[in-house]
Amino acid sequence: AQRVTQPEKLLSVFKGAPVELKCNYSYSGSPELFWYVQYSRQRLQLLLRHISRESIKGFTADLNKGETSFHLKKPFAQEEDSAMYYCALRPNFGNEKLTFGTGTRLTIIP
Amino acid sequence: EAGVTQFPSHSVIEKGQTVTLRCDPISGHDNLYWYRRVMGKEIKFLLHFVKESKQDESGMPNNRFLAERTGGTYSTLKVQPAELEDSGVYFCASSQDRASPSGEKLFFGSGTQLSVL
């Protein structure tokens, strides 16, 4: 069975400081990893996927298979980054049945 | 293009009552998913429709939950009778087989916040 762990429920960071949201996973195969974000009063939306290896809104995440981690990073936090962030895993086959972590609420302090 | 729409956005009911949540997927999306987030816990998969057929309902908590998707368009999730532990946010999502230009395949609604008192 797969599992996603986000150890921090809450994270507060000053504006301009670096941000790192932790995510660890367990899965026997080769999964796809995602970060989803939910801003206040908006829908849950995809932030980035490990296979695209791109930076979205200044965020990056590298899949580390040795450490089974997919931490989300941004060098300089902005106030608009305040949101709920979820790490998610999808087995590398079939449908969009995702396994999510418990989420981290990120608050950027002005 | 309209996104995934969920109704109501909030529902407050008493234990023992019935509640029906509705989800309108993006037009043309055959796949429809229900997920639930109970306070302090992870977002958990409930079930997956392909058109009107239940492809996977392994996440449904118990037989108090009934999901339907008649005609393969919108879906309803009925909880009857509701219990305190059913409180949480119920998300609906839809997808088609190919990704959007941005690479996003699964599109979520804003969720229904259900509070059972």
Side-chain angles (χ1 to χ4, degrees):
Chain A
Q2 55 260 33
R3 186 179 177 89
V4 175
T5 303
Q6 292 180 251
E8 304 134 331
K9 279 191 162 54
L10 303 170
L11 183 64
S12 295
V13 173
F14 283 101
K15 177 182 172 181
V19 176
E20 182 178 43
L21 303 177
K22 291 186 167 51
C23 172
N24 288 87
Y25 68 92
S26 62
Y27 180 63
S28 56
S30 295
E32 282 191 72
L33 273 296
F34 305 86
W35 277 99
Y36 278 83
V37 61
Q38 188 173 25
Y39 301 102
S40 180
R41 288 185 291 278
Q42 293 188 30
R43 68 180 185 91
L44 191 64
Q45 56 191 285
L46 178 67
L47 180 61
L48 51 80
R49 310 172 297 161
H50 90 267
I51 59 174
S52 62
R53 301 183 65 82
E54 58 192 345
S55 173
I56 303 293
K57 298 185 179 183
F59 284 98
T60 59
D62 291 319
L63 180 61
N64 185 324
K65 291 185 179 180
E67 295 182 359
T68 58
S69 68
F70 188 56
H71 303 325
L72 183 68
K73 299 177 184 178
K74 183 170 182 175
F76 308 104
Q78 298 172 286
E79 287 185 64
E80 55 264 33
D81 295 330
S82 293
M84 193 75 181
Y85 291 79
Y86 295 94
C87 184
L89 175 157
R90 185 180 85 105
N92 197 10
F93 58 87
N95 58 38
E96 300 300 317
K97 182 179 176 181
L98 300 176
T99 297
F100 285 90
T102 50
T104 298
R105 180 166 297 283
L106 175 65
T107 302
I108 305 304
I109 305 165
Chain B
E1 178 183 284
V4 177
T5 306
Q6 291 188 246
F7 182 83
S9 57
H10 292 82
S11 180
V12 181
I13 60 172
E14 292 186 351
K15 175 183 170 180
Q17 289 186 321
T18 297
V19 63
T20 300
L21 314 180
R22 174 171 169 143
C23 169
D24 286 76
I26 293 173
S27 177
H29 282 195
D30 288 339
N31 297 287
L32 187 149
Y33 301 80
W34 283 99
Y35 287 83
R36 175 175 77 167
R37 182 178 185 241
V38 172
M39 174 93 73
K41 297 197 174 179
E42 68 271 26
I43 299 173
K44 274 196 167 178
F45 167 84
L46 296 179
L47 88 159
H48 169 212
F49 282 100
V50 177
K51 297 185 180 178
E52 67 274 10
S53 300
K54 291 176 186 174
Q55 185 76 12
D56 180 353
E57 51 184 328
S58 60
M60 293 288 264
N62 51 61
N63 59 10
R64 294 185 293 103
F65 289 75
L66 174 64
E68 294 180 322
R69 193 182 181 197
T70 308
T73 55
Y74 71 90
S75 174
T76 57
L77 180 64
K78 184 194 291 189
V79 186
Q80 180 183 31
E83 298 289 343
L84 299 179
E85 64 264 25
D86 301 332
S87 296
V89 181
Y90 289 76
F91 292 102
C92 176
S94 71
S95 75
Q96 53 185 0
D97 288 336
R98 63 183 183 281
S100 70
S102 68
E104 188 164 6
K105 285 187 71 175
L106 191 62
F107 295 86
F108 282 85
S110 297
T112 294
Q113 172 77 57
L114 175 64
S115 299
V116 183
L117 306 178

